[in-house]
Amino acid sequence: MTGRLRFILGDQLTRDLSALSDLDPARDIVLMVEVADEATYVRHHKQKLVLVLSAMRHFAESLRADGIAVDYVTLEDPANTHNFTTELARAITRHAPASVITTEPGEWRVWQMMQGWQASLGQPVDICADDRFFCSRADFASLSRARKVSRMEFFYREMRRRSGILMRADGPEGGQWNFDPENRKSLPRGHRPPARQRFTPDATTRAVLDMVASRFPEHFGDLEPFGWAVTREDALQALDHFITDALPQFGDYQDAMKTGEDFLYHSLISPYLNLGLLTAREVCTRAEAAYHAGDAPLNAVEGFIRQVLGWREFVRGVYWTEMPDYAQTNHLNAQRDLPAFYWTGDTPMRCMAQCIDTTRRTAYAHHIQRLMVTGNFALLAGIAPAQIEDWYLAVYIDAFDWVELPNTHGMVLHADGGRLGSKPYAASGAYIDRMSDYCSGCAFDPKQKLGPRACPFNYLYWNFLIENQAVLSPNPRMALPYRTLSKMTPEHRQSITDAAKVFLARQKGWAGDTSAPQQLRLDEDW
Ligand code: FAD
Ligand code: DLZ
Ligand code: SF4
């Protein structure tokens, strides 16, 4: 073979990917490999495995349909060595290409692997920049050096100016950059969000469903019903559906949580963006067009665009400028084991049980469920960062290290000392009570601060402030809660720490045995 071997990873399923530009169909071969190493470095949710593998197979088919040669190694192939490096080596032996070309990966672990390829494979390896983002890694690094992007809000404004999205000649559309204060409504009683479009598995997806069922039975989560899009065509349909049916109220109910409503008005497009089936630019353009057509209000459109153009790009920038040291920090010295109920959902805390149940059934939970329920608990309980990070990386359909890690390590745990967010998002049960209907059916009472029926989030919140007083109290953004804490009597403070100690001592760590979930009952807890 005199052409180039173009190695495409499972989250690079984009036709105009940098590693596919200038592809010569007469001489080049695209290489795609399904490897057990990627399926098992954490125990990904079964639906995530199906999504990635089925989307890879469909992408390979679409390339072939366009006359492009694809060398595709399946998980079932007996010769498969189940590792990117060794599979690339085998493909080089098969094809003897002039050189290898690939696109930079989304994960530090794989980036490190790629750095060694040229030397270990004895083959020229070009690693192209991943240009599917508004802000390249190099751009973010130089903005960081110029201290223009220390906070998401400044970065976001810079991205708005650079992209022209939601901009007028005289400044931001609507005269302000951020409409967040309008986006905190709880769902009115009896309000029903629209039914969400799901996709029926085709023969390719069915084959992958069977394979995942037989090869990865011990992985977390329900395999079926599986309703995620696995092709660009279906992902575009999902985007259309969001823009028409959900975007208009996305802003209003962005932070709301409701029992039995898994998706509310969220877009459900993160897996498609992260795999490359949709691009960040096209989803922002579609949302902006809906605003200009009068089909969606500015608070919704700006709120949505801020997530994609702002947060998504910002966390990626932080990941690539701060890794690998970033993952090792533990600013609040959190050391507790992840309680077993994160895997089983078996807890009397109804908010936690509901969010974990949604996650198990759908491989999805929306941002506030991740941040203010499961994340908030992990922060308040002082769960060791690596343990809860592995959980988030495993259980969500959209989870890839570059986006999961900064969200968990930085936004949720404040383990990065404030690189991502200026203060921890710690909250008591009152927040969950305000934004959801979870508390009404809970064994605990969000209004009680201490005692057997007191919401654990209440005393864990104050205990968290007490435990971390030396580190957090100098932070001006924490002044208000620390002022309140300073007014508590020593006896009251002692009661809080005692309650937290008893509660936390009773949360058992995960033993890894799904057949015998730990029963954590209210009467046992007290
Ligand atoms: P919507 O609410 O409709 O938002 C629109 C889009 O904005 C999303 O599709 C996503 O691409 C982007 N977005 C929104 N918030 C963020 C954010 N904080 N960071 C990056 N992008 C954002 N998102 C992932 O894509 N992968 C992850 O592994 C991931 N892990 C997370 C872990 C924790 C602890 C937290 C708090 C958040 C995490 N997020 C992650 C961000 C966010 O929760 C999801 O992007 C969002 O819930 C996906 O659902 P959606 O597509 O319906 O989003
Ligand atoms: C997540 C995932 C899984 C489960 N399997 C594969 C695979 O078999 N082959 C592949 O190319 N990619 C897979 N991926 C995505 C990779 O883990 C991802 O590309 C890297 O983590 C870099 O972001
Ligand atoms: Fe969660 Fe507390 Fe409300 Fe129960 S009372 S659902 S534990 S916030």
Side-chain angles (χ1 to χ4, degrees):
M1 170 187 173
T2 51
R4 309 183 85 183
L5 187 62
R6 296 176 183 265
F7 189 15
I8 306 302
L9 307 183
D11 55 355
Q12 299 181 336
L13 310 179
T14 311
R15 285 304 289 269
D16 52 6
L17 188 78
S18 50
L20 294 177
S21 69
D22 75 7
L23 177 141
D24 178 353
R27 300 183 333 144
D28 294 351
I29 292 176
V30 171
L31 173 69
M32 297 178 72
V33 300
E34 296 179 358
V35 291
D37 275 7
E38 295 305 304
T40 55
Y41 70 93
V42 289
R43 286 184 176 186
H44 303 285
H45 195 295
K46 294 187 191 84
Q47 290 184 36
K48 181 179 172 193
L49 292 175
V50 175
L51 173 85
V52 175
L53 298 175
S54 181
M56 284 177 68
R57 290 181 183 194
H58 281 94
F59 186 72
E61 274 318 305
S62 80
L63 293 175
R64 285 188 182 125
D66 286 350
I68 297 166
V70 182
D71 182 359
Y72 192 99
V73 181
T74 65
L75 265 181
E76 295 108 324
D77 184 339
N80 191 335
T81 57
H82 293 295
N83 169 275
F84 281 152
T85 305
T86 49
E87 278 310 292
L88 178 57
R90 283 203 319 127
I92 289 170
T93 311
R94 281 197 296 278
H95 304 294
S99 67
V100 173
I101 179 164
T102 190
T103 291
E104 63 192 14
E107 191 170 337
W108 181 266
R109 173 183 61 89
V110 182
W111 174 245
Q112 267 186 312
M113 212 187 281
M114 279 188 183
Q115 302 303 301
W117 282 352
Q118 187 145 313
S120 70
L121 302 172
Q123 185 86 25
V125 178
D126 289 342
I127 306 174
C128 310
D130 188 345
D131 53 14
R132 296 175 296 174
F133 294 85
F134 284 94
C135 187
S136 70
R137 281 164 53 176
D139 250 3
F140 192 92
S142 86
L143 283 168
S144 283
R145 278 192 299 274
R147 299 186 178 280
K148 284 194 172 172
V149 294
S150 56
R151 289 283 164 246
M152 200 298 284
E153 191 60 33
F154 303 124
F155 170 78
Y156 168 57
R157 292 178 191 184
E158 183 70 16
M159 289 297 106
R160 290 269 296 274
R161 286 190 207 96
R162 286 182 176 200
S163 65
I165 292 174
L166 286 185
M167 293 300 291
R168 294 186 314 217
D170 58 347
E173 191 67 48
Q176 62 195 64
W177 294 100
N178 184 321
F179 291 83
D180 226 14
E182 295 176 33
N183 290 356
R184 292 181 188 138
K185 298 190 178 76
S186 55
L187 218 60
R189 208 180 285 273
H191 179 105
R192 293 308 302 266
R196 302 308 295 269
Q197 184 178 22
R198 307 294 281 162
F199 298 86
T200 309
D202 65 3
T204 302
T205 303
R206 283 247 62 95
V208 178
L209 280 161
D210 292 345
M211 180 182 68
V212 169
S214 72
R215 285 189 171 238
F216 305 103
E218 75 287 3
H219 283 221
F220 174 78
D222 293 354
L223 182 61
E224 301 206 51
F226 180 89
W228 297 97
V230 292
T231 62
R232 171 157 169 80
E233 292 68 32
D234 283 354
L236 280 169
Q237 264 199 46
L239 175 63
D240 277 350
H241 159 64
F242 164 66
I243 298 281
T244 311
D245 297 332
L247 177 64
Q249 286 179 288
F250 171 86
D252 287 354
Y253 302 124
Q254 200 178 342
D255 289 2
M257 299 175 278
K258 187 171 163 61
T259 307
E261 295 292 349
D262 294 329
F263 307 127
L264 296 162
Y265 291 93
H266 290 272
S267 66
L268 317 182
I269 59 164
S270 50
Y272 314 138
L273 283 171
N274 296 350
L275 289 190
L277 301 179
L278 296 177
T279 69
R281 195 170 292 276
E282 76 190 333
V283 307
C284 290
T285 307
R286 287 292 309 278
E288 185 181 19
Y291 166 67
H292 288 304
D295 295 335
L298 189 53
N299 71 306
V301 172
E302 187 282 315
F304 174 75
I305 287 174
R306 178 154 27 89
Q307 306 311 313
V308 179
L309 179 63
W311 277 112
R312 186 168 185 270
E313 299 279 329
F314 185 68
V315 300
R316 178 175 184 262
V318 168
Y319 181 85
W320 285 109
T321 48
E322 304 295 332
M323 281 295 278
D325 299 344
Y326 189 77
Q328 305 310 319
T329 54
N330 190 354
H331 188 62
L332 300 180
N333 192 27
Q335 303 288 352
R336 283 196 185 86
D337 284 339
L338 185 71
F341 67 72
Y342 270 81
W343 298 106
T344 63
D346 193 2
T347 167
M349 289 180 285
R350 190 158 183 272
C351 53
M352 294 291 284
Q354 285 295 321
C355 293
I356 293 164
D357 179 62
T358 302
T359 304
R360 181 182 55 73
R361 286 184 292 101
T362 66
Y364 178 87
H366 71 66
H367 186 65
I368 294 302
Q369 294 172 311
R370 299 187 205 192
L371 179 65
M372 299 309 293
V373 181
T374 47
N376 188 24
F377 184 89
L379 171 74
L380 301 184
I383 307 301
Q387 293 194 27
I388 184 73
E389 283 151 21
D390 273 3
W391 184 81
Y392 277 107
L393 193 57
V395 303
Y396 289 113
I397 193 88
D398 54 22
F400 290 89
D401 204 49
W402 66 268
V403 51
E404 176 276 322
L405 185 76
N407 270 295
T408 312
H409 198 80
M411 197 183 300
V412 163
L413 299 178
H414 205 65
D416 62 357
R419 173 66 185 91
L420 200 86
S422 54
K423 75 175 184 66
Y425 281 87
S428 68
Y431 175 87
I432 296 173
D433 192 25
R434 189 164 65 249
M435 296 313 300
S436 78
D437 64 356
Y438 296 148
C439 301
S440 59
C442 184
F444 299 111
D445 179 351
K447 303 220 161 33
Q448 293 192 34
K449 311 287 180 232
L450 285 169
R453 289 207 62 235
C455 167
F457 282 85
N458 290 343
Y459 48 79
L460 289 179
Y461 172 77
W462 291 109
N463 181 63
F464 167 79
L465 292 177
I466 293 167
E467 276 189 354
N468 294 291
Q469 186 152 13
V471 183
L472 293 179
S473 64
N475 182 337
R477 297 205 59 204
M478 298 298 287
L480 192 65
Y482 275 108
R483 240 190 333 270
T484 310
L485 183 67
S486 71
K487 291 180 191 142
M488 288 181 189
T489 63
E491 294 73 28
H492 190 55
R493 285 169 69 119
Q494 190 59 50
S495 308
I496 288 167
T497 40
D498 288 348
K501 207 165 158 188
V502 171
F503 177 84
L504 291 170
R506 294 191 175 185
Q507 310 306 312
K508 308 281 192 310
W510 175 242
D513 179 4
T514 41
S515 62
Q518 311 249 353
Q519 296 286 328
L520 296 170
R521 294 190 203 292
L522 191 59
D523 53 352
E524 271 179 305
D525 281 340
W526 288 92

